[in-house]
Each structure stands twice: as C-alpha cells, then as structure tokens.
Amino acid sequence: MRLTSEMGVKKIICWPDSKIVAEQIRHILRNNNERADQLARLASSRKPGQLRSTIHLEIPSSSATAECLTINEDAPSWKTPIRKYIVNSELPADPMEARKLRTQAARYTMVADELYRRGFSTPLLKCIDNHQADYVLREIHEGICGSHSGGRTMAAKVLRAGYYWPTLKEDCIEFVKRCVQCQKHDNLIHASAAELHSISSPWPFALWSIDVLGPFLVAKGQVKFLLVAVDYFTKWIEAEPLACISAANVQKFVWKNISKGQAEVANKVILTELKKRLGSAKGAWAEELPEVLWAYRCTPQSTTKETPFRLAYGADAMIPVEVGEPSFRRQHFHEESNDNSLRVELDVLDEVRERTQLVAEACKQWMSRHFNSNLKSRTFHEGDLVWRATGSARRNSSEGKLSASWDGLFRVRHALHNGAYKLEELSGKVIPRTWNSTHLKTYYS
Ligand SMILES: [Zn+2]
C-alpha cells in the first residue's frame, strides 16, 4: 500500500486477506475472496530456503474494488506554492509575487505527485521539507555512509544523492557546526584569539621572568628540574638545576641571582641547544648547562641586536675562538689601554642601553603587528559554554592518536582581562588555573 501511494497510483484494486488490511479498506466476504486465499496458500507453502519467485496470475474480473485515498495533505512548506501553481495553476494575488513564482516554477516539475527540481549536478532533485531534510542531513553526516564531512562537501553530497531544499548549503554548514563529534575532534585553532600584550622593561635587571623546565632525566646530584630566569631588558639568562621545585629553592635562586615573562622564548633556545649538545647522553644535561648558558649570553638577541653580556657588562666577552685563532683585539691586547677602554665603554653603556631599548621597542611593535595580522578575535562572556584544547599532557594516552583534540564542556566563570578566563565544570566545580582564549572555542548546540 505504501509503495503504491509513493508511486503516485491513483486507483488500486485489492484482494486483501489480512484482517487488518481488510478493515482499513472494506471488509470482503470470504467466499468472494478465493483468489487472495489461493495466493496466500501459494506463498505459505513455499519451502524455506527456496528463492522467491514472482507469481503471475491472470485475474479476469475484480471480485471487489476499493479506492485508496490520499491520507492527509502535508503541512504547508516551501513547496506548497510551487506545487499549487504546477498542479492547479494557482498564483498569489500580488502580481510581483505571481511573476516571481512563475519564473521559479519553470525549474520544477511533478513526477508521480512528487515535486522535483531540474538540477545542474543531477537531472532531477527531489524536493524535501524540514523533517525529511533533517533525516537526510543526519544520515549523510553521521549515518552508515557518513564521514563527518565539512559543510560544503556535505552540501555537494546531498545534491549528489538527489535531494534539494532552498537553504541546503546554509543548513549543512550549521549542522556541521553543531555536531558534537566534529567539535570535539576539530583541528586546533592557530589564529591568535586576542591581541599580543608585550611587556617592556625600562632598565636592565628591573623585570625578570621565571619559568620551570622539566622534569628531565635525573642527572648528577639528583637534579631533574631547571629553573630559568631571564631579564626582560638585557635578555641575561640565569638557570639552575634543582632536585625539586619548592618555595625555598626558588627563593634561594632568586636571592642568589636576581638581587644584584621572556623565559619561554629562552627556554626553547636552551632546550634545543641542550638537545643538540647531548646527543644520546641525555643524563649529562646538568653538566652541559653552564656552556649552553654561556653561549646564550654571548649571542646577539634578535630583539635587542646586542648580546646579553654586552648589555650587562658593557663589553663583549672574549670567546674561546678568539684565543684559538687570535682575533684583532687578542693580538693587539694592551692591558693599560684595555682598562681605559673598558671604563670608556662603561660610560657609554647607558647610551648603548638607550639605543637597545629603541630597537627592542621597534621589534615589539613589529611583533605585535605580525601577531595581530593573524588575529581572529575570540572573546567569551561569563556563562558561555566552551571547549578547551586538549594539550598533549591532558590527552587520554589509552586512546592514542584517536583521542579528542577538544575537552568539554566548560562554563566561563569569570572573564579576566587580557583574554584570560576562569572556567568551571557544568556541576560548578572550579577548574584550577586561568585559561587563555587561544585554548578555548565556543560550544554550539
Ligand atoms: Zn560530525
């Protein structure tokens, strides 16, 4: 019955056997229903496992006739005016609307009581309404043959499968945006979320940035952490291997080195340098550290165009190569004139520092411009639901490469300044630390 109605059959002759079907149409007396009984017997006497075969029977005259009526008209949808125009030539009263509809309808046709659109990708696209579209989207995106593809690909797939509705592309994009699995496994966002906030230090050793590296392999003296401090102005670096990170240890380090932010960049330099120097002997990092630090202090830094050593001491340190292959200043060394020049250098040191500050400021501006050029501002408000990027440390190791890139769901508890946020779980449990907007994205539902 459903099949015939789908095929658009207007009149159907039935010889029902089943009571349910019969009651739906009209009850037929048993003696008027012999043929149907015969058909049913034929079907039930078929041996199991036998292939189905079509039974052809010629029926000279109908024993009973019943007409199948269309059940109920679909709720009005975008198809209704077009269908009305094609079937009954009904037009809206407004002449402009009528003209628009006539032009539109030229692209549509009726096949077996279904509206089809003449497409470019496929000859005929079946026109479907909301709840059908919802099923088609679901099936194509996450069904058996679904591949969680992106919005545009999905729209192309829907058209290829032969369906059409006016807001197809937009609906596909919206659907993908709201798919939880797609949100969870989406790529991390590399565009910056907020403007760069740089810190300037007015004078050498006024501002330090401290960071902890590690844990590394346990080296001589049971040390496995590295405490690094970098001065914002000169980029002077101090580092000390520690066995454990305790308040007392850090305080000792600070008093020893600093009483007479940047750290992350320097950390990278130190780590790369250590890796290259150590080869496979990773346990010897603590012994190699002084050399790495020394090398860093004698290298001109890109932000200041000066070596940290010169900015701190007013002169460039003599590096071993100048001794091995005597350089000009090594060959023409004169102790007395050297002392004088050093004093002169110290007097002009302030000038060098002033210039360095200008260079560093220009560099920072350039950095900000560069950073902000790739800016896609993402700001959140209190109460917003967000995903948090799953860093390598928080990834579920048992899931390996298949683990999700985004953690969810969190609610923004407080929006602090400079793109930092305090998060909480939906139950209200506060998440420790603050989170930068770089690691957050909106949750769509
Ligand atoms: Zn998906």
Side-chain angles (χ1 to χ4, degrees):
M1 293 288 275
R2 208 176 304 124
L3 191 72
T4 50
S5 85
E6 270 171 21
M7 283 172 72
V9 172
K10 294 241 170 70
K11 193 171 171 188
I12 179 172
I13 302 163
C14 304
W15 288 277
D17 178 44
S18 146
K19 194 162 182 274
I20 305 162
V21 179
E23 277 178 359
Q24 273 179 16
I25 307 168
R26 202 175 75 190
H27 189 70
I28 292 159
L29 288 175
R30 194 159 187 86
N31 51 4
N32 288 342
N33 202 18
E34 270 171 33
R35 281 172 201 282
D37 273 347
Q38 274 171 8
L39 274 171
R41 264 202 299 281
L42 257 170
S44 59
S45 62
R46 189 174 59 88
K47 277 182 198 141
Q50 252 183 335
L51 287 172
R52 262 170 212 279
S53 56
T54 327
I55 305 155
H56 290 276
L57 272 182
E58 240 173 72
I59 304 159
S61 65
S62 56
S63 57
T65 347
E67 229 161 281
C68 217
L69 298 167
T70 348
I71 324 307
N72 41 8
E73 191 65 32
D74 287 338
S77 69
W78 67 273
K79 299 191 290 187
T80 319
I82 302 173
R83 183 197 283 268
K84 272 187 182 160
Y85 173 67
I86 294 176
V87 180
N88 310 326
S89 305
E90 263 179 56
L91 278 173
D94 181 15
M96 284 304 279
E97 283 288 308
R99 199 175 152 190
K100 190 178 158 202
L101 183 67
R102 265 204 302 275
T103 332
Q104 262 187 342
R107 297 206 55 82
Y108 293 87
T109 181
M110 296 290 291
V111 177
D113 210 29
E114 283 285 353
L115 189 67
Y116 284 84
R117 183 186 155 94
R118 294 194 187 89
F120 293 99
S121 50
T122 324
L124 285 177
L125 298 167
K126 187 177 176 184
C127 297
I128 52 180
D129 48 35
N130 281 354
H131 65 275
Q132 291 166 309
D134 188 56
Y135 164 74
V136 168
L137 282 179
R138 236 160 248 297
E139 193 63 39
I140 285 183
H141 188 72
E142 53 197 23
I144 292 168
C145 289
S147 58
H148 282 278
S149 44
R152 273 156 49 105
T153 318
M154 209 172 126
K157 267 180 143 179
V158 171
L159 286 171
R160 236 188 134 87
Y163 302 104
Y164 177 82
W165 66 95
T167 52
L168 176 106
K169 194 175 155 190
E170 206 185 303
D171 287 356
C172 285
I173 292 169
E174 268 303 295
F175 188 89
V176 174
K177 207 163 142 189
R178 283 161 205 281
C179 172
V180 172
Q181 292 305 323
C182 280
Q183 290 186 59
K184 205 169 171 182
H185 294 273
D186 199 9
N187 292 336
L188 298 178
I189 304 168
H190 295 294
S192 23
E195 284 188 22
L196 184 71
H197 304 282
S198 44
I199 301 167
S200 312
S201 170
W203 210 237
F205 308 112
L207 265 174
W208 289 77
S209 141
I210 300 181
D211 201 3
V212 178
L213 288 185
F216 298 105
L217 275 183
V218 179
K220 215 188 225 170
Q222 295 301 302
V223 289
K224 56 181 176 187
F225 292 101
L226 188 59
L227 194 58
V228 180
V230 179
D231 169 47
Y232 274 102
F233 189 91
T234 58
K235 315 293 175 214
W236 183 262
I237 191 164
E238 288 291 349
E240 190 163 301
L242 293 173
C244 67
I245 303 297
S246 65
N249 272 341
V250 174
Q251 201 180 29
K252 216 164 76 191
F253 170 81
V254 171
W255 281 114
K256 194 171 112 199
N257 297 299
I258 301 179
S259 52
K260 66 175 175 151
Q262 296 290 306
E264 279 194 25
V265 182
N267 287 349
K268 214 161 89 188
V269 178
I270 293 181
L271 271 185
T272 338
E273 188 63 25
L274 273 176
K275 269 191 232 163
K276 287 180 191 162
R277 275 167 180 264
L278 293 174
S280 56
K282 304 292 182 209
W285 63 271
E287 284 93 343
E288 284 285 340
L289 185 65
E291 287 182 28
V292 175
L293 291 184
W294 190 239
Y296 181 88
R297 286 169 190 158
C298 295
T299 311
Q301 299 300 302
S302 57
T303 45
T304 55
K305 309 270 185 289
E306 280 295 347
T307 65
F309 191 91
R310 173 134 198 245
L311 287 178
Y313 293 104
D316 267 323
M318 185 157 306
I319 53 177
V321 67
E322 292 181 61
V323 180
E325 176 56 51
S327 62
F328 180 83
R329 62 172 179 171
R330 168 92 179 79
Q331 270 176 333
H332 300 89
F333 179 73
H334 189 268
E335 195 162 350
E336 199 182 323
S337 70
N338 183 55
D339 282 351
N340 283 335
S341 320
L342 270 181
R343 265 178 226 116
V344 173
E345 284 279 0
L346 277 178
D347 283 335
V348 296
L349 180 59
D350 283 357
E351 210 179 312
V352 174
R353 286 175 175 171
E354 296 283 0
R355 204 183 58 230
T356 311
Q357 199 178 10
L358 281 180
V359 172
E361 214 47 59
C363 183
K364 260 178 207 141
Q365 275 184 15
W366 180 85
M367 286 270 287
S368 293
R369 253 206 319 278
H370 180 73
F371 183 91
N372 295 342
S373 70
N374 187 21
L375 181 77
K376 269 191 193 149
S377 186
R378 291 203 297 282
T379 46
F380 307 95
H381 303 282
E382 269 168 46
D384 282 1
L385 295 181
V386 291
W387 292 98
R388 181 183 69 183
T390 320
S392 49
R394 286 189 307 277
R395 258 172 208 270
N396 188 343
S397 55
S398 65
E399 289 176 359
K401 280 209 178 251
L402 296 177
S403 64
S405 331
W406 295 90
D407 241 355
L409 187 63
F410 299 106
R411 194 188 295 121
V412 175
R413 192 179 168 89
H414 293 301
L416 309 164
H417 59 286
N418 289 356
Y421 297 92
K422 199 93 185 126
L423 302 181
E424 64 179 13
E425 281 175 15
L426 291 191
S427 59
K429 192 182 151 211
V430 184
I431 307 289
R433 293 168 54 192
T434 56
W435 297 87
N436 192 278
S437 48
T438 326
H439 300 114
L440 303 175
K441 68 167 181 177
T442 314
Y443 176 91
Y444 292 98
S445 65

